[in-house]
Amino acid sequence: GAGVSQSPSNKVTEKGKDVELRCDPISGHTALYWYRQSLGQGLEFLIYFQGNSAPDKSGLPSDRFSAERTGGSVSTLTIQRTQQEDSAVYLCASQAGPLYNEQFFGPGTRLTVL
Amino acid sequence: DAKTTQPTSMDCAEGRAANLPCNHSTISGNEYVYWYRQIHSQGPQYIIHGLKNNETNEMASLIITEDRKSSTLILPHATLRDTAVYYCIVRLRDSSYKLIFGSGTRLLVRP
């Protein structure tokens, strides 16, 4: 079956521009997570959605980062006024529900801020 | 912060068992041990998890010590496709169940 998909796969932008990253979770999965992985770094949690609400936003690094989820499905991560330190691979994962064990990760979006 | 300690890198020969250790000495009673792996340029992949009993699935076995302060992931017959970074994660089953990744172990399977 279809897994988690993310778009675009690569995004190059100029410093100061806004970007939107999209995640399509596995159909029916109510839990959705965003992580990012900077070059040479481990994976860092950003935000968690259960349905359309985000009870855990503790990983968002600044107020330039925001995310939303609509219809309990697609999620968009928005980065405003991008900085070079925002360059990273942004990964989305979905999970059937909060009590399930396995998170299914998408292939990621590689963001490069020039 | 990650609550686990893993060797930076390991290697093993193809066809042999790969035993990846993990220390989690501060684990608490309601925290599970999860293992994920990340093959180059891909998203992480779930392997196995456990609380206190040993677990086995089609991918691997997980051995957790009786005091739960350490565990070992066993890939019984490693193949070249098992070359990846392996993450041992202590996961609190709180409201978000987020994964806190450490630096992991880079496993190289040699032909």
Side-chain angles (χ1 to χ4, degrees):
Chain A
V4 178
S5 61
Q6 293 184 244
S7 60
S9 55
N10 281 284
K11 176 71 176 179
V12 180
T13 191
E14 293 180 347
K15 177 181 174 181
K17 295 289 179 82
D18 298 351
V19 295
E20 285 189 354
L21 312 179
R22 176 187 170 107
C23 172
D24 285 82
I26 293 171
S27 178
H29 281 196
T30 63
L32 186 147
Y33 301 79
W34 284 97
Y35 297 84
R36 75 173 176 181
Q37 186 168 31
S38 304
L39 186 62
Q41 302 294 315
L43 288 99
E44 172 189 16
F45 166 79
L46 297 178
I47 188 169
Y48 158 69
F49 285 92
Q50 176 55 38
N52 291 337
S53 64
D56 190 347
K57 305 179 183 179
S58 62
L60 295 179
S62 75
D63 58 8
R64 296 187 295 104
F65 287 72
S66 63
E68 65 175 13
R69 189 179 185 195
T70 55
S73 180
V74 172
S75 176
T76 302
L77 177 69
T78 301
I79 308 173
Q80 295 179 310
R81 305 181 301 283
T82 53
Q83 303 294 312
Q84 289 185 331
E85 61 263 29
D86 299 335
S87 295
V89 177
Y90 289 81
L91 291 154
C92 173
S94 74
Q95 183 174 294
L99 296 180
Y100 285 75
N101 293 306
E102 183 174 356
Q103 290 186 15
F104 295 83
F105 283 79
T109 293
R110 180 174 298 277
L111 174 66
T112 302
V113 182
L114 301 177
Chain B
D1 293 333
K3 299 176 64 173
T4 62
T5 304
Q6 299 177 253
T8 302
S9 63
M10 296 181 65
D11 66 80
C12 74
E14 188 178 19
R16 305 298 294 266
N19 297 281
L20 290 86
C22 179
N23 287 324
H24 32 80
S25 58
T26 61
I27 194 170
S28 59
N30 60 348
E31 292 178 324
Y32 286 67
V33 179
Y34 280 72
W35 284 83
Y36 278 73
R37 73 181 182 184
Q38 187 174 26
I39 296 170
H40 184 60
S41 298
Q42 298 182 20
Q45 176 191 23
Y46 167 84
I47 301 173
I48 199 167
H49 77 282
L51 181 62
K52 55 184 178 181
N53 297 320
N54 298 337
E55 303 287 345
T56 296
N57 64 19
E58 65 279 3
M59 289 183 68
S61 294
L62 174 61
I63 308 298
I64 302 175
T65 58
E66 191 168 346
D67 63 8
R68 303 211 318 127
K69 293 185 176 181
S70 65
S71 60
T72 301
L73 178 75
I74 301 171
L75 308 178
H77 304 287
T79 71
L80 299 180
R81 290 190 298 272
D82 292 323
T83 291
V85 178
Y86 287 76
Y87 295 99
C88 171
I89 299 165
V90 169
R91 190 182 192 194
L92 176 64
R93 304 200 85 178
D94 62 3
S95 59
S96 73
Y97 308 99
K98 57 182 175 283
L99 299 172
I100 306 298
F101 289 83
S103 53
T105 295
R106 185 172 299 277
L107 175 68
L108 173 65
V109 180
R110 296 178 279 101

